[in-house]
Amino acid sequence: MLALRKWLFAGLLVIVPLFVTLAVLKWIIDTLDQTLWLLPEDWQSWLTMHKVRGLGVLFTLAILLVVGAVASNFIGKRLLGWGDAVVRRIPVVRSIYSSVKQVSDTLFSENGNAFRTAVLVQWPREGVWTIAFVTGTPGADVLAHLGGGEYLGVYVPTTPNPTGGYFVMLKRSDCIELQMSVDEALKYIVSMGVVVPGGPATLATSS
Protein backbone atom coordinates (compact mmCIF):
# COMPACT_ATOMS: atom_id res chain seq x y z
CA MET A 1 0.00 0.00 0.00
CA LEU A 2 2.82 2.40 0.80
CA ALA A 3 4.38 1.71 -2.59
CA LEU A 4 1.06 2.23 -4.38
CA ARG A 5 0.53 5.51 -2.53
CA LYS A 6 4.03 6.65 -3.45
CA TRP A 7 3.47 5.78 -7.10
CA LEU A 8 0.10 7.54 -7.08
CA PHE A 9 1.53 10.81 -5.80
CA ALA A 10 4.52 10.53 -8.13
CA GLY A 11 2.11 10.12 -11.04
CA LEU A 12 0.09 13.14 -9.91
CA LEU A 13 3.23 15.26 -9.71
CA VAL A 14 3.91 14.43 -13.35
CA ILE A 15 0.40 14.48 -14.79
CA VAL A 16 -1.18 17.48 -13.03
CA PRO A 17 1.33 20.16 -14.20
CA LEU A 18 1.31 18.64 -17.71
CA PHE A 19 -2.51 18.53 -17.83
CA VAL A 20 -2.91 22.09 -16.58
CA THR A 21 -0.27 23.36 -19.02
CA LEU A 22 -1.96 21.61 -21.96
CA ALA A 23 -5.39 22.89 -20.85
CA VAL A 24 -4.13 26.49 -20.71
CA LEU A 25 -2.44 26.14 -24.10
CA LYS A 26 -5.63 24.68 -25.59
CA TRP A 27 -7.67 27.58 -24.20
CA ILE A 28 -5.20 30.11 -25.64
CA ILE A 29 -5.17 28.42 -29.06
CA ASP A 30 -8.97 28.11 -29.16
CA THR A 31 -9.36 31.77 -28.20
CA LEU A 32 -6.87 33.02 -30.76
CA ASP A 33 -8.40 30.82 -33.45
CA GLN A 34 -11.48 33.03 -33.18
CA THR A 35 -9.54 35.72 -35.06
CA LEU A 36 -9.78 33.57 -38.20
CA TRP A 37 -13.28 34.95 -38.82
CA LEU A 38 -11.46 37.93 -40.33
CA LEU A 39 -10.38 35.70 -43.22
CA PRO A 40 -12.55 35.13 -46.33
CA GLU A 41 -15.35 32.57 -45.90
CA ASP A 42 -13.77 30.17 -48.40
CA TRP A 43 -10.57 30.11 -46.38
CA GLN A 44 -12.51 29.57 -43.15
CA SER A 45 -14.42 26.67 -44.68
CA TRP A 46 -11.20 25.06 -45.92
CA LEU A 47 -9.54 25.41 -42.50
CA THR A 48 -12.62 23.99 -40.77
CA MET A 49 -12.86 21.07 -43.22
CA HIS A 50 -9.20 20.15 -42.75
CA LYS A 51 -9.31 20.85 -38.99
CA VAL A 52 -6.30 23.15 -39.03
CA ARG A 53 -5.67 24.23 -35.44
CA GLY A 54 -3.33 26.84 -34.08
CA LEU A 55 -3.28 29.01 -37.18
CA GLY A 56 -5.04 31.71 -35.16
CA VAL A 57 -1.90 32.10 -33.03
CA LEU A 58 0.21 32.93 -36.07
CA PHE A 59 -2.56 35.09 -37.52
CA THR A 60 -2.92 37.05 -34.27
CA LEU A 61 0.86 37.47 -34.01
CA ALA A 62 0.95 38.76 -37.59
CA ILE A 63 -1.84 41.27 -36.82
CA LEU A 64 -0.02 42.51 -33.73
CA LEU A 65 3.24 42.92 -35.65
CA VAL A 66 1.55 44.79 -38.50
CA VAL A 67 -0.37 47.08 -36.16
CA GLY A 68 2.76 47.67 -34.08
CA ALA A 69 4.79 48.50 -37.18
CA VAL A 70 2.16 50.95 -38.40
CA ALA A 71 1.78 52.53 -34.95
CA SER A 72 5.53 53.03 -34.67
CA ASN A 73 5.99 55.23 -37.74
CA PHE A 74 5.10 58.90 -38.13
CA ILE A 75 1.96 58.44 -40.22
CA GLY A 76 0.68 55.67 -37.96
CA LYS A 77 1.11 57.82 -34.86
CA ARG A 78 -0.83 60.64 -36.51
CA LEU A 79 -3.65 58.27 -37.50
CA LEU A 80 -3.78 56.74 -34.01
CA GLY A 81 -3.84 60.19 -32.45
CA TRP A 82 -6.72 61.20 -34.70
CA GLY A 83 -8.64 57.98 -33.96
CA ASP A 84 -7.99 58.36 -30.22
CA ALA A 85 -9.38 61.89 -30.29
CA VAL A 86 -12.52 60.72 -32.11
CA VAL A 87 -13.20 57.86 -29.68
CA ARG A 88 -12.73 60.14 -26.66
CA ARG A 89 -15.59 62.34 -27.90
CA ILE A 90 -18.16 59.54 -27.95
CA PRO A 91 -20.28 59.45 -24.76
CA VAL A 92 -20.05 56.27 -22.64
CA VAL A 93 -17.47 54.78 -25.02
CA ARG A 94 -14.87 57.37 -24.01
CA SER A 95 -15.16 56.42 -20.33
CA ILE A 96 -14.58 52.73 -21.04
CA TYR A 97 -11.88 53.39 -23.63
CA SER A 98 -9.97 55.86 -21.45
CA SER A 99 -9.93 53.48 -18.47
CA VAL A 100 -8.83 50.47 -20.51
CA LYS A 101 -6.20 52.49 -22.35
CA GLN A 102 -4.69 53.81 -19.14
CA VAL A 103 -4.43 50.28 -17.76
CA SER A 104 -2.95 48.86 -20.97
CA ASP A 105 -0.47 51.73 -21.26
CA THR A 106 0.66 51.03 -17.71
CA LEU A 107 0.88 47.27 -18.13
CA PHE A 108 2.41 47.03 -21.61
CA SER A 109 4.39 50.23 -22.00
CA GLU A 110 8.14 49.90 -21.71
CA ASN A 111 8.05 52.75 -19.20
CA GLY A 112 5.08 51.36 -17.27
CA ASN A 113 5.29 50.94 -13.50
CA ALA A 114 2.59 48.36 -12.91
CA PHE A 115 3.44 45.64 -10.41
CA ARG A 116 7.06 46.72 -10.08
CA THR A 117 7.24 46.12 -6.33
CA ALA A 118 6.04 43.23 -4.15
CA VAL A 119 5.09 44.14 -0.60
CA LEU A 120 3.96 42.35 2.53
CA VAL A 121 0.70 43.69 3.99
CA GLN A 122 -1.76 42.69 6.69
CA TRP A 123 -4.90 41.48 4.88
CA PRO A 124 -7.82 40.91 5.33
CA ARG A 125 -7.32 41.80 8.99
CA GLU A 126 -4.53 42.74 11.36
CA GLY A 127 -2.26 39.82 12.16
CA VAL A 128 -2.89 38.03 8.84
CA TRP A 129 -0.23 38.65 6.20
CA THR A 130 -0.24 38.32 2.44
CA ILE A 131 1.75 39.47 -0.58
CA ALA A 132 0.51 42.38 -2.67
CA PHE A 133 1.79 44.63 -5.44
CA VAL A 134 2.20 48.39 -5.45
CA THR A 135 0.33 49.97 -8.36
CA GLY A 136 0.88 53.65 -7.63
CA THR A 137 -0.14 56.44 -5.29
CA PRO A 138 -3.64 57.89 -4.70
CA GLY A 139 -4.58 61.16 -6.38
CA ALA A 140 -4.82 64.47 -4.54
CA ASP A 141 -8.62 64.28 -4.23
CA VAL A 142 -8.45 60.87 -2.55
CA LEU A 143 -5.55 61.87 -0.32
CA ALA A 144 -7.57 64.80 0.96
CA HIS A 145 -10.01 62.34 2.52
CA LEU A 146 -7.41 59.97 3.98
CA GLY A 147 -6.32 62.18 6.84
CA GLY A 148 -2.78 62.91 5.71
CA GLY A 149 0.30 60.77 5.53
CA GLU A 150 1.83 58.78 2.69
CA TYR A 151 -0.41 56.19 1.07
CA LEU A 152 0.13 53.60 -1.64
CA GLY A 153 -2.29 52.04 -4.07
CA VAL A 154 -1.94 48.27 -3.57
CA TYR A 155 -3.36 45.32 -5.49
CA VAL A 156 -4.02 42.26 -3.34
CA PRO A 157 -4.36 39.23 -5.66
CA THR A 158 -6.32 36.11 -4.88
CA THR A 159 -4.81 32.64 -5.05
CA PRO A 160 -4.37 30.52 -7.10
CA ASN A 161 -5.85 32.90 -9.70
CA PRO A 162 -4.06 36.26 -9.35
CA THR A 163 -6.19 37.92 -12.04
CA GLY A 164 -8.85 38.49 -9.39
CA GLY A 165 -8.24 40.51 -6.26
CA TYR A 166 -8.77 43.76 -4.40
CA PHE A 167 -7.48 47.29 -4.86
CA VAL A 168 -6.86 49.02 -1.52
CA MET A 169 -5.03 52.09 -0.30
CA LEU A 170 -2.68 51.55 2.63
CA LYS A 171 -0.23 53.70 4.52
CA ARG A 172 3.31 53.36 3.21
CA SER A 173 4.44 52.45 6.73
CA ASP A 174 2.05 49.46 6.67
CA CYS A 175 3.65 48.05 3.51
CA ILE A 176 6.87 46.08 3.88
CA GLU A 177 8.84 46.02 0.64
CA LEU A 178 10.08 42.52 -0.22
CA GLN A 179 13.43 41.67 -1.78
CA MET A 180 11.87 39.43 -4.41
CA SER A 181 10.94 40.04 -8.02
CA VAL A 182 7.35 40.34 -9.18
CA ASP A 183 7.71 37.02 -11.03
CA GLU A 184 8.85 35.27 -7.86
CA ALA A 185 6.01 36.81 -5.87
CA LEU A 186 3.44 35.76 -8.48
CA LYS A 187 4.83 32.22 -8.50
CA TYR A 188 4.59 32.18 -4.71
CA ILE A 189 0.94 33.31 -4.87
CA VAL A 190 -0.13 30.98 -7.68
CA SER A 191 1.47 27.98 -5.96
CA MET A 192 -0.38 28.89 -2.72
CA GLY A 193 2.91 29.15 -0.87
CA VAL A 194 4.28 25.83 -2.10
CA VAL A 195 7.07 27.29 -4.25
CA VAL A 196 9.19 29.45 -1.94
CA PRO A 197 11.18 32.26 -3.62
CA GLY A 198 14.91 31.64 -3.29
CA GLY A 199 14.35 28.07 -2.18
CA PRO A 200 13.67 24.67 -3.69
CA ALA A 201 10.37 24.07 -5.48
CA THR A 202 9.07 21.88 -2.64
CA LEU A 203 6.59 22.22 0.18
CA ALA A 204 7.37 25.18 2.43
CA THR A 205 7.54 23.06 5.57
CA SER A 206 10.42 21.96 7.69
CA SER A 207 11.33 18.31 7.66
Side-chain angles (χ1 to χ4, degrees):
M1 292 300 296
L2 291 177
L4 290 176
R5 181 180 179 184
K6 179 180 179 181
W7 294 344
L8 176 62
F9 281 103
L12 288 173
L13 289 174
V14 174
I15 296 299
V16 171
L18 182 61
F19 176 79
V20 173
T21 301
L22 292 176
V24 172
L25 289 176
K26 182 181 182 301
W27 177 79
I28 292 174
I29 292 174
D30 290 343
T31 301
L32 294 181
D33 275 345
Q34 301 302 313
T35 60
L36 295 178
W37 68 268
L38 296 172
L39 297 174
E41 291 186 5
D42 293 341
W43 294 18
Q44 295 181 46
S45 299
W46 187 90
L47 292 173
T48 302
M49 183 184 305
H50 292 80
K51 297 181 179 180
V52 179
R53 301 291 302 277
L55 188 61
V57 177
L58 298 177
F59 188 58
T60 302
L61 182 60
I63 292 175
L64 291 175
L65 290 174
V66 171
V67 172
V70 172
S72 298
N73 60 48
F74 177 76
I75 297 177
K77 290 180 180 179
R78 294 294 296 271
L79 290 175
L80 287 175
W82 177 79
D84 186 78
V86 171
V87 172
R88 290 180 185 276
R89 293 180 180 177
I90 303 175
V92 181
V93 175
R94 64 187 178 191
S95 300
I96 301 173
Y97 175 78
S98 297
S99 301
V100 174
K101 192 172 190 309
Q102 284 183 338
V103 173
S104 63
D105 286 347
T106 302
L107 291 176
F108 302 117
S109 173
E110 294 181 356
N111 299 321
N113 292 315
F115 299 170
R116 289 297 179 90
T117 306
V119 293
L120 195 63
V121 299
Q122 296 191 72
W123 176 270
R125 60 178 176 81
E126 187 176 353
V128 178
W129 296 84
T130 190
I131 294 177
F133 301 99
V134 176
T135 59
T137 55
D141 184 41
V142 175
L143 283 175
H145 298 278
L146 295 179
E150 283 191 274
Y151 281 82
L152 294 175
V154 174
Y155 174 69
V156 183
T158 55
T159 185
N161 178 17
T163 59
Y166 303 89
F167 170 70
V168 295
M169 283 166 278
L170 302 173
K171 287 185 176 181
R172 183 183 292 271
S173 58
D174 292 334
C175 302
I176 303 174
E177 184 173 345
L178 298 173
Q179 299 302 315
M180 69 172 68
S181 66
V182 171
D183 288 340
E184 289 176 330
L186 280 173
K187 186 183 297 184
Y188 197 26
I189 293 168
V190 171
S191 69
M192 295 177 287
V194 174
V195 180
V196 182
T202 55
L203 290 177
T205 57
S206 58
S207 56

